[in-house]
Amino acid sequence: MTDFRRSVLRPSLRTGLIFGGVALFLTLVGIIEVFSEREVIDGVVSMSYTVLWLVMGGAGYSAAARYKAERRYLLGGVSGAIAGLVTAVLLGILVVLGTAVNLRSVLVNATPALMRLLTFGQSTGVGVVLLLAAGAIVGLLGGLLKMVPERVRRPLLTGVAGVLVISVLHELIAVLFKSLGFPRGFIRFLFARKGLTPAGALISFVLLASLSVLWPIARSRVNQRVSSLPPRQRRSVRLLTFIALLAFLLFIPDLFQLYWTDVIDNVGLFILMGLGLNIVVGFAGLLDLGYVAFFAIGAYVTGLLTSPASSLGWGLSFWVAWPVAMVVGALAGVLLGIPVLRMRGDYLAIVTLGFGEIIRVLANSDLLKPYIGGAQGILQIPKPSIAGIQLITSQQLYYLILLGCLVAIFVSWRLSDSRVGRAWIAMREDEDVAQAMGINLIKYKLLAFAIGATFSAMSGAIFATKLSSIFPHSFNLLISINVLSLIIVGGMASIPGVIVGALILVGLPEVLREFAEYRLLMYGALLVIMMLVRPEGFWPAARRRLELREDGLEIAGGET
Amino acid sequence: MQRIRVWRVSATDLIIWGIGFLIGGIALWGTIATLREGLYTSSDWVSFLIFGLAQGAVYALIALGYTLVYGILFMINFAHGEIFMGGAYIGYFVARAFDESGFLDSNPILALAIIFLVAMSVSISMAVALERIAYRPLRRAPRLVPLITAIGASLFLQYSFRGLFGTGIKVYPDVEILKGSWQIGGVMVLRIHVIVFVCAVLMMAGLYWLVQRTKMGKAMRAVAEDKDAAALMGIDVDRVIVNTFIVGGALAGAGGVLFALYNKQVIHTMGFIPGIKAFTAAVLGGIGNIPGAMFGGLFLGIFESIGPPLFFTGLGVPSPNQLKDVIAFSMLVLVLIFRPTGLLGEVLTEKKA
């Protein structure tokens, strides 16, 4: 019995307490209640319960992990059930406390609605018992899931994850299906107003589960096929995929309609900024926290030059202002780069942060108000026009952003493997050695700052014309941190990583609109978790993945 | 063979010095113009000074946390401003409860002591949890990794507080005994400013004693000097690092309540700007240098309170107080550019990367 206590009870309790803490946190921050508005499977399970089940199941899953190698199925299941139960117990305590005492005066989210949600609408006693039972069962399932062999677990997990993702994206997919000409009845069959229909969920599950089985086979076959082709045909295959991708990108505004194109535009602006910061941080290793300054400079230059209401009042065309904004951005990059040439790491980060804040405070101050409008900003920035047609809607502006992104991707891609790119990487790894190898640090650092600033100014210019008005408070530190987060989440120094990061960090909160309030909380948590668990990002650059995994950098294996 | 020393001046040096002289020149010009116009009386300047001292004392308390951690781990604990915020924030709930029950009026000293204790323990637990969860696993990671983690932790803590306790500004209740003002040498000064300053100075003296005279302080200094050698001497390095976070957290929590007592309000973002400024103060005094952080904090507080009227009024700048943060941040940038070891000199210069 003491053996059972030591080897099963105590570790399961520990896991349960950790996951219970997570569950309590999510509940009290308000995420669970906010998610009750959103159904995963219409009429069956809402997003709030899904999150709760995921946490409880996760507790079981990770509690069972220690018995996996010994294949002690029973112990795994029991341990999972205990962990899930403990998680539920913590929530149960919250329910009991919340109904007995008024927690709301301190914890604003401990509302009666939340208590009803946690007790499944039953009375407190019955509800808590139900909650505990649910915790034990879900924990048991999670534990068993860990114990089953990989070939069973993988399709199951992919299927569940797939249902979740499709349900979150259901509005987007429904719009896509509609523009592709699927009949309305078919879309209704799959998607309800707030989530998937049960039939849709079943279909998604089966589809993705079977895909996860078939995909590895299919991929290896296609790869074999392609690599057995003669070089010239191989190149044409690559060219064809590229053209197909480009065609898809060109048709996005037609496929996704107005609202979603606006979201995609925002993602595009962040991709553009991310590509710039990726050069500064990812390639050259210079952590710049004042990056938003260049975005602001691009926007302000555009505003000043094009708006008839600005202090200059020139009212130039966007096509003149855009390159000017980029040049001014590059100059500002060099100008702010010179003083920080000798700084490294932490100090550089703090100084650039200081620069960014100085620029924001100045833009906001009465001192510069006669020139750049102070807190009122600059209004009436005109839209760009091509051959007499004004680009007004976000669908039209999309092409401008796409153009900017493609140019930036091309430049980054060509730079990454060039002499300049290698010099940056050398510099990132060790400045002193790089200098000893004959790399001109001043030149390459300034070059990195200038190119990064150019991309950011480019993005800022489009931002200004897209919004038609700019205010200093749109250029706060959080933008810099946002861009930094997206390149870290995507994978430093990786170009596809920037795109993935922007889609996750900028696109996802727009899709999960209830969640938008928690996006900064999510960024913070993601930054910490990524650094602890996966410092190379979701889509790492090949070189960086090797670096971080090779030299015994046991970040993931460290004690947590 | 005789070594010839060549004095090389590069173009970047010229540009940097040019910018430095330009800023210095503007400041000097503004000062002369302001003083000539005589817009402020000497008692105005004294009250600016006292306010600056109170503000600076709080900066110094936070700066000590930065300096202690930097001295031992060589990392900027970016989330330290949030630890400061956390203490003040939870202190608010205690203060409100005491105010509602009347305890704050009937027994103000005891009530304030409890508020301080609660705030300090909250800050300590936040600091220790942060070290355990976010920093300890990354101790051997490349330098940027813990810095990014710290930025993430800072954001996470800010928005957790927002999510848990609501978005609005929370106003601290009035404490009768802290109200009013005193006549010191013919100048009226707010009582609260004097009390904040005295409390902070007492705490700093306590810290100095702790670091210089106790066994724990000795261990901290040893670990700061050389971690591996300290471990060989039988010092539990992990324990010492935790102690450092405890001391830093306690000072930040106390600083948070002091700040809230004269600033009267708390909000989840309140830690950020004082955090950066306290870091400036730590750098100003030479990071890793404990008396330096105290001096840097007071200096920055005074500079920030006297600076805007002194430099800008004479130049005819409208609403100079808007530029308070610009002065602090420019100070940070200038110090890091021209004297990165700080005014008093960094204790651990050779180990800084």
Side-chain angles (χ1 to χ4, degrees):
Chain A
M1 200 57 209
T2 47
D3 191 43
F4 176 78
R5 202 185 291 165
R6 194 176 312 139
S7 71
V8 181
L9 203 58
R10 221 177 271 166
S12 320
L13 260 173
R14 223 184 103 122
T15 317
L17 283 176
I18 293 173
F19 276 82
V22 173
L24 271 183
F25 178 78
L26 291 177
T27 318
L28 288 175
V29 158
I31 291 180
I32 299 289
E33 198 187 331
V34 158
F35 273 171
S36 66
E37 292 298 311
R38 180 174 279 263
E39 302 279 320
V40 174
I41 304 170
D42 191 42
V44 179
V45 60
S46 73
M47 197 70 175
S48 6
Y49 289 119
T50 312
V51 174
L52 282 182
W53 304 152
L54 282 179
V55 176
M56 289 170 182
Y61 192 86
S62 65
R66 65 176 63 228
Y67 310 105
K68 170 79 176 165
E70 303 158 34
R71 297 175 177 247
R72 297 165 76 175
Y73 292 96
L74 184 67
L75 278 187
V78 169
S79 170
I82 296 173
L85 183 67
V86 174
T87 311
V89 165
L90 287 191
L91 289 174
I93 293 174
L94 172 70
V95 172
V96 173
L97 265 180
T99 39
V101 200
N102 179 20
L103 293 178
R104 272 188 88 178
S105 64
V106 177
L107 297 161
V108 286
N109 289 308
T111 56
L114 177 74
M115 300 305 155
R116 267 200 302 283
L117 193 83
L118 287 178
T119 51
F120 308 96
Q122 311 288 327
S123 70
T124 311
V126 181
V128 171
V129 172
L130 278 179
L131 187 68
L132 297 189
I137 293 169
V138 177
L140 176 71
L141 290 178
L144 291 180
L145 188 66
K146 179 75 199 179
M147 302 311 287
V148 297
E150 172 75 19
R151 73 193 139 79
V152 184
R153 187 173 62 219
R154 206 184 137 104
L156 280 176
L157 275 179
T158 326
V160 171
V163 170
L164 251 177
V165 170
I166 291 179
S167 163
V168 166
L169 298 178
H170 78 273
E171 286 176 76
L172 196 66
I173 298 174
V175 167
L176 188 64
F177 277 5
K178 209 164 156 195
S179 2
L180 286 175
F182 283 93
R184 183 167 287 216
F186 176 70
I187 298 173
R188 284 257 178 81
F189 174 67
L190 289 179
F191 303 112
R193 206 168 55 80
K194 283 185 185 167
L196 290 169
T197 59
L202 193 67
I203 292 174
S204 323
F205 182 82
V206 171
L207 203 70
L208 278 147
S210 42
L211 205 65
S212 85
V213 178
L214 298 177
W215 176 244
I217 307 169
R219 190 175 56 179
S220 65
R221 240 185 235 164
V222 169
N223 276 349
Q224 252 173 22
R225 214 33 102 63
V226 172
S227 55
S228 65
L229 287 174
R232 182 185 271 178
Q233 273 176 335
R234 221 187 307 172
R235 202 178 304 150
S236 52
V237 167
R238 261 170 49 190
L239 199 67
L240 272 178
T241 32
F242 180 70
I243 289 173
L245 192 70
L246 201 65
F248 174 68
L249 286 176
L250 284 177
F251 282 113
I252 276 184
D254 299 324
L255 291 177
F256 287 107
Q257 301 177 356
L258 201 59
Y259 174 75
W260 294 109
T261 316
D262 198 50
V263 171
I264 292 168
D265 282 358
N266 285 339
V267 174
L269 288 178
F270 272 96
I271 290 179
L272 200 46
M273 272 198 277
L275 287 167
L277 191 64
N278 190 37
I279 286 181
V280 183
V281 180
F283 291 167
L286 307 160
L287 186 57
D288 184 352
L289 291 182
Y291 190 64
V292 66
F294 308 118
F295 185 66
I297 286 170
Y300 267 100
V301 168
T302 312
L304 281 175
L305 292 179
T306 59
S307 165
S310 75
S311 58
L312 292 176
W314 291 348
L316 295 176
S317 128
F318 175 77
W319 304 110
V320 181
W322 206 19
V324 175
M326 284 189 243
V327 171
V328 175
L331 285 179
V334 172
L335 210 65
L336 295 189
I338 288 174
V340 299
L341 278 173
R342 294 205 197 101
M343 282 171 212
R344 297 178 189 184
D346 316 10
Y347 277 18
L348 178 73
I350 292 282
V351 168
T352 47
L353 186 149
F355 275 145
E357 286 294 293
I358 289 175
I359 288 193
R360 188 182 60 84
V361 174
L362 283 181
N364 214 343
S365 71
D366 290 346
L367 175 63
L368 297 179
K369 194 171 178 178
Y371 313 104
I372 59 174
Q376 275 90 49
I378 300 176
L379 309 171
Q380 294 179 34
I381 300 168
K383 304 277 181 198
S385 57
I386 300 177
I389 307 166
Q390 275 210 314
L391 302 180
I392 295 172
T393 65
S394 44
Q395 278 160 316
Q396 290 161 324
L397 281 169
Y398 167 81
Y399 292 102
L400 192 66
I401 295 168
L402 182 65
L403 176 74
C405 285
L406 288 180
V407 170
I409 288 173
F410 182 75
V411 172
S412 310
W413 172 56
R414 294 304 296 162
L415 277 174
S416 66
D417 285 329
S418 70
R419 197 181 175 78
V420 179
R422 288 202 306 272
W424 280 335
I425 290 165
M427 211 163 74
R428 177 183 80 199
E429 294 313 319
D430 193 322
E431 273 188 19
D432 300 324
V433 175
Q435 192 166 27
M437 289 290 135
I439 289 170
N440 184 345
L441 291 185
I442 295 180
K443 179 176 145 196
Y444 284 107
K445 276 191 182 179
L446 291 184
L447 193 64
F449 277 124
I451 295 176
T454 311
F455 288 170
S456 188
M458 195 156 138
S459 181
I462 304 175
F463 176 79
T465 171
K466 179 168 178 280
L467 260 66
S468 304
S469 47
I470 44 176
F471 309 102
H473 71 78
S474 343
F475 305 105
N476 56 25
L477 175 78
L478 289 175
I479 306 253
S480 300
I481 292 192
N482 199 334
V483 179
L484 180 71
S485 316
L486 76 88
I487 64 173
I488 283 165
V489 167
M492 278 217 251
S494 148
I495 297 166
V498 172
I499 299 167
V500 171
L503 282 173
I504 296 178
L505 291 193
V506 186
L508 199 62
E510 298 277 355
V511 175
L512 265 174
R513 271 188 299 281
E514 301 90 343
F515 193 66
E517 198 187 326
Y518 299 102
R519 69 198 280 172
L520 290 162
L521 184 67
M522 176 183 86
Y523 289 178
L526 261 181
L527 279 184
V528 177
I529 294 170
M530 289 304 283
M531 285 295 120
L532 290 172
V533 180
R534 208 180 148 86
E536 75 272 27
F538 280 126
W539 192 316
R543 192 194 306 254
R544 193 139 180 100
R545 177 165 31 193
L546 287 176
E547 279 161 19
L548 280 168
R549 286 296 169 202
E550 188 186 44
D551 50 24
L553 231 171
E554 277 292 319
I555 290 170
E559 39 178 349
T560 35
Chain B
M1 220 170 84
Q2 209 181 0
R3 278 183 60 189
I4 304 161
R5 220 167 137 206
V6 187
W7 200 263
R8 284 182 56 190
V9 177
S10 64
T12 36
D13 283 331
L14 282 179
I15 295 175
I16 290 175
W17 282 100
I19 296 171
F21 279 120
L22 189 72
I23 294 174
I26 293 175
L28 194 67
W29 185 27
T31 310
I32 293 169
T34 309
L35 290 181
R36 213 185 249 170
E37 280 176 33
L39 289 167
Y40 298 99
T41 62
S42 59
S43 73
D44 282 338
W45 292 118
V46 174
S47 61
F48 285 145
L49 182 77
I50 300 285
F51 177 73
L53 278 175
Q55 182 94 343
V58 173
Y59 288 159
L61 285 180
I62 315 173
L64 284 167
Y66 278 109
T67 273
L68 288 169
V69 169
Y70 197 95
I72 287 186
L73 289 179
F74 306 110
M75 67 167 284
I76 300 174
N77 180 7
F78 216 88
H80 194 63
E82 273 55 56
I83 291 170
F84 157 85
M85 176 273 291
Y89 214 103
I90 303 296
Y92 159 78
F93 289 113
V94 182
R96 193 184 62 181
F98 284 167
D99 192 39
E100 278 163 7
S101 66
F103 187 57
L104 194 60
D105 291 325
S106 61
N107 240 335
I109 306 271
L110 186 61
L112 279 175
I114 296 176
I115 293 172
F116 270 101
L117 274 183
V118 170
M120 284 162 83
S121 33
V122 167
S123 290
I124 289 173
S125 18
M126 279 169 76
V128 171
L130 196 65
E131 195 272 335
R132 189 73 189 78
I133 297 169
Y135 299 155
R136 193 178 294 181
L138 298 174
R139 221 172 271 162
R140 297 192 183 281
R143 277 181 71 112
L144 277 191
V145 171
L147 181 63
I148 292 168
T149 313
I151 295 172
S154 156
L155 209 60
F156 177 77
L157 288 174
Q158 264 186 41
Y159 285 88
S160 301
F161 270 77
R162 187 188 128 145
L164 290 174
F165 305 115
T167 45
I169 291 175
K170 302 190 162 43
V171 181
Y172 254 64
D174 281 324
V175 187
E176 273 311 315
I177 53 163
L178 300 180
K179 274 184 169 172
S181 47
W182 277 322
Q183 192 87 16
I184 297 178
V187 184
M188 290 286 273
V189 289
L190 285 181
R191 204 185 274 191
I192 181 79
H193 289 159
V194 179
I195 292 174
V196 165
F197 178 70
V198 170
C199 284
V201 169
L202 285 179
M203 256 177 282
M204 286 187 260
L207 175 80
Y208 198 74
W209 172 79
L210 183 88
V211 173
Q212 296 297 335
R213 292 275 181 274
T214 62
K215 208 162 185 182
M216 184 177 127
K218 209 174 200 174
M220 278 162 74
R221 282 181 288 141
V223 172
E225 202 64 46
D226 189 329
K227 257 195 231 93
D228 296 327
L232 289 177
M233 296 297 121
I235 295 173
D236 183 349
V237 174
D238 276 345
R239 183 72 223 156
V240 171
I241 291 175
V242 171
N243 282 342
T244 312
F245 274 85
I246 289 177
V247 173
L251 292 174
V257 177
L258 289 177
F259 185 81
L261 283 179
Y262 72 81
N263 224 20
K264 282 277 168 259
Q265 54 189 30
V266 287
I267 188 167
H268 62 276
T269 50
M270 69 181 263
F272 177 70
I273 295 280
I276 300 291
K277 288 190 180 157
F279 177 76
T280 310
V283 172
L284 209 61
I287 199 152
N289 181 340
I290 291 174
M294 303 176 187
F295 161 78
L298 293 177
F299 184 80
L300 185 72
I302 296 169
F303 199 75
E304 200 185 74
S305 133
I306 291 183
L310 186 64
F311 300 148
F312 295 134
T313 1
L315 296 177
V317 173
S319 30
N321 260 325
Q322 282 180 337
L323 301 179
K324 206 171 85 178
D325 291 356
V326 172
I327 290 200
F329 289 128
S330 316
M331 188 92 179
L332 170 71
V333 173
L334 290 177
V335 169
L336 283 182
I337 291 170
F338 290 106
R339 203 177 154 78
T341 53
L343 299 181
L344 295 192
E346 195 169 359
V347 170
L348 308 136
T349 326
E350 77 280 9
K351 269 185 264 172
K352 187 180 64 85

